[in-house]
Amino acid sequence: MVLNGMVDWNRKNLEVKNGHLWIGGCDTVSLVEKYGTPIYVINESTIKQRFNSLKEELQKHYPKIRIHYAVKANSNIVILKLLYNEGAFLDCVSIGEIYTALKVGYSPEQIIYTGNNFTNHDLEYALSKGVIINLDAFSQIMRLYKIMQRTNSTSDLLSFRVNPEFGSGHHNHCITAGPDIKFGILESSIVRAYKKAQELGFKRFGIHMHIGSQILEIEPFKIAAEKFLEIAEKIHRELGVDFEFMDFGGGFGIPYKDEEKPFDLKRYATTILSLFKEKIKEYDLGEPIFCVEPGRFIVAESTIILAEVNTIKQTTHKNFIGIDAGFHNLIRPAMYGSYHEIVVANKIDQDPKKRYDIAGPLCESGDILGRDRNLPLVEEGDIIGILDAGAYGFTMASNYNLRPYAAEILVKEGQDYLIRERQPIEDLLKFQNIPEFL
Ligand code: LLP
């Protein structure tokens, strides 16, 4: 059967039944009837499956592993809770994420705080909560120490983010290590950083890197890991630092396009953990906990956005499908030129007939979710599904054009749960004050 969009339904945990797209045992058409559009529909079993498959692969090779889920990919509290129950740790990048994680029930020891350009307020908050602080600039050590003195707080554990001067990623914006990248501390300053921390009384240490996002090959991870381990060796040799944990970052990709192969977890685990075990022995680094911090890999494929077609516009140049979801719901196509598979959820088994551009409702010509897509004949009232929207979808959403945030629905074994209500329009005026002279 030729389907619109060439999708590996099985892998995405989606089903085709009675001409409709189904997710988590629920008919997308019924979900739209119940909740309206646009909505994000999240399949809980995909999240659990991705998390556990990663955990199992890593555990096969080394007993001391930790998966710090990167909250920035999707910070819905239900997802955080679900992952908590599966044994996840977290990677937080702001005090908002720390606040949310603690509210969900994570303990401070389960949270690594990898901020960037921390304010004093950020550091004070993190210290007061007791999370693991992962600094990314030399100058921040002294500031942290002064705040500790001023607030009488104690902490003997500290980590630094290393920039191994090698990065990778699907777009320039998403390469997070390299010579001209803002993140982390270069090898040339890293020994000085740990030395300073030792002098100030820190006794327990971690080390961290993150090289980029949406990486499908294993080679970049290997190159960076080799460099990272060498840097750790140098710190250990020169200062006698023993690392409690070594965090190799996230960045594992997912297949957005049909021709892309899924991330090879087995190869990642075998390659990186063999290297890790070999080098910790050779470099006399003891037995640090092996940490990773994936976001996208765990949540991206769990979620589809459902939107309604409100306008069909055929011009002499293009066929436009106008829908009620736009880059205020999913900015990745507009921001990075990213590809997301798009299907007609209520005509899922019909053959492609026409080439369309799928356009959102925002007043920007860049509000296009997909270009030149072959789809069945689309009519106003049809339902469009945008796939793989679980990572950096809602978390990068906005109220642009004063469009309220969409609702989020969790689906599990044929049941649906409204886990975030559609933002009421009245909310859009919240926190604005009109001065008296007006
Ligand atoms: N750890 C750190 C320190 C990070 O900065 C990131 C992502 C992650 C972990 C998780 O990376 P992941 O496993 O999700 O690739 N908005 C972009 C992605 C930006 C990623 C930034 N850092 C996108 O939609 O493609």
Side-chain angles (χ1 to χ4, degrees):
M1 180 170 34
V2 184
L3 296 166
N4 50 93
M6 289 292 293
V7 179
D8 183 347
W9 303 110
N10 238 350
R11 174 177 167 85
K12 308 271 180 206
N13 279 338
L14 297 168
E15 285 172 290
V16 171
K17 269 199 275 186
N18 316 327
H20 292 176
L21 176 67
W22 289 59
I23 177 168
C26 298
D27 182 349
T28 52
V29 176
S30 313
L31 290 173
V32 165
E33 276 163 15
K34 184 164 173 188
Y35 296 107
T37 51
I39 46 176
Y40 301 80
V41 184
I42 307 164
N43 191 349
E44 76 106 40
S45 73
T46 308
I47 299 176
K48 283 209 306 219
Q49 192 278 332
R50 294 297 187 273
F51 180 83
N52 287 315
S53 61
L54 176 59
K55 188 159 91 178
E56 275 161 32
E57 283 307 327
L58 297 176
Q59 274 173 345
K60 275 186 200 163
H61 299 271
Y62 191 67
K64 290 163 69 176
I65 65 127
R66 274 193 334 218
I67 301 174
H68 287 259
Y69 165 66
V71 177
K72 66 179 82 63
N74 192 324
S75 49
N76 187 294
I77 55 174
V78 173
I79 292 181
L80 297 184
K81 183 84 184 137
L82 186 71
L83 287 168
Y84 176 84
N85 293 345
E86 300 300 308
F89 285 62
L90 295 182
D91 154 43
C92 292
V93 291
S94 69
I95 62 174
E97 289 187 356
I98 296 174
Y99 169 82
T100 305
L102 293 172
K103 281 275 176 212
V104 167
Y106 285 85
S107 68
E109 302 78 44
Q110 289 176 295
I111 299 169
I112 183 164
Y113 176 34
T114 300
N116 177 237
N117 300 331
F118 298 94
T119 64
N120 286 349
H121 177 64
D122 294 335
L123 292 173
E124 188 169 338
Y125 184 88
L127 273 171
S128 73
K129 299 298 175 196
V131 299
I132 305 168
I133 297 177
N134 188 32
L135 297 181
D136 94 324
F138 185 83
S139 72
Q140 291 163 358
I141 313 169
M142 207 54 214
R143 261 201 302 136
L144 177 71
Y145 183 68
K146 283 189 184 148
I147 295 165
M148 285 170 68
Q149 286 188 315
R150 179 167 51 75
T151 58
N152 256 333
S153 33
T154 49
S155 169
D156 63 347
L157 174 63
L158 192 60
S159 175
F160 290 101
R161 176 173 185 165
V162 171
N163 178 342
E165 288 171 72
F166 172 82
S168 183
H170 70 94
H171 186 278
N172 269 345
H173 295 351
C174 302
I175 299 174
T176 53
D180 53 356
I181 297 292
K182 69 167 182 164
F183 297 110
I185 301 177
L186 297 181
E187 185 179 1
S188 50
S189 310
I190 196 72
V191 173
R192 204 158 60 93
Y194 280 93
K195 187 153 187 271
K196 185 83 193 162
Q198 276 180 327
E199 286 165 9
L200 295 175
F202 289 96
K203 301 238 169 341
R204 298 161 54 215
F205 294 99
I207 187 165
H208 168 277
M209 72 163 176
H210 172 70
I211 62 164
S213 197
Q214 178 58 15
I215 306 167
L216 281 167
E217 304 78 36
I218 307 302
E219 195 58 19
F221 291 107
K222 183 159 180 255
I223 297 170
E226 279 165 352
K227 186 81 191 287
F228 185 54
L229 284 153
E230 278 168 27
I231 294 172
E233 188 273 337
K234 191 165 156 187
I235 300 162
H236 173 72
R237 180 167 33 84
E238 294 191 19
L239 305 172
V241 164
D242 286 315
F243 296 106
E244 282 192 14
F245 66 85
M246 295 190 70
D247 187 333
F248 286 73
F252 315 154
I254 66 120
Y256 285 100
K257 288 186 182 158
D258 180 54
E259 66 264 26
E260 285 169 338
K261 287 215 173 67
F263 185 73
D264 193 340
L265 270 188
K266 273 191 198 315
R267 256 199 74 209
Y268 174 87
T270 315
T271 312
I272 304 302
L273 278 163
S274 326
L275 177 74
F276 173 75
K277 285 189 291 185
E278 179 197 321
K279 294 295 175 191
I280 53 173
K281 209 162 165 210
E282 183 186 331
Y283 298 158
D284 196 23
L285 291 173
E287 280 200 348
I289 301 162
F290 177 91
C291 306
V292 285
E293 42 184 48
R296 184 190 318 268
F297 178 81
I298 294 173
V299 289
E301 290 167 289
S302 68
T303 301
I304 56 177
I305 292 175
L306 296 175
E308 187 178 326
V309 178
N310 51 55
T311 307
I312 300 287
K313 186 187 284 184
Q314 307 195 351
T315 76
T316 41
H317 309 286
K318 284 269 173 193
N319 301 311
F320 289 105
I321 300 175
I323 61 173
D324 57 4
F327 79 57
H328 57 305
N329 305 113
L330 181 70
I331 203 169
R332 302 191 70 258
M335 188 153 172
Y336 314 115
S338 301
Y339 182 94
H340 282 256
E341 198 60 68
I342 293 178
V343 298
V344 186
N346 59 319
K347 296 178 173 170
I348 203 72
D349 52 2
Q350 294 187 19
D351 292 345
K353 286 262 163 50
K354 231 180 181 165
R355 185 163 287 204
Y356 293 99
D357 279 12
I358 297 90
L362 300 179
C363 296
E364 292 224 16
S365 45
D367 188 23
I368 299 288
L369 293 144
R371 290 188 197 276
D372 296 323
R373 303 300 178 87
N374 294 321
L375 296 174
L377 283 183
V378 177
E379 296 157 290
E380 295 176 4
D382 281 344
I383 297 158
I384 292 292
I386 306 165
L387 272 49
D388 304 320
Y392 309 106
F394 197 100
T395 50
M396 293 180 82
S398 73
N399 279 148
Y400 188 44
N401 284 193
L402 290 189
R403 292 191 176 268
Y405 289 120
E408 291 182 297
I409 319 295
L410 187 82
V411 286
K412 175 180 160 64
E413 292 157 10
Q415 300 289 319
D416 52 87
Y417 306 85
L418 177 64
I419 60 170
R420 187 194 302 260
E421 291 169 30
R422 191 177 303 286
Q423 187 182 25
I425 199 156
E426 296 76 25
D427 233 46
L428 297 170
L429 301 188
K430 250 190 184 165
F431 311 121
Q432 299 189 64
N433 301 307
I434 299 180
E436 258 172 35
F437 68 84
L438 283 176

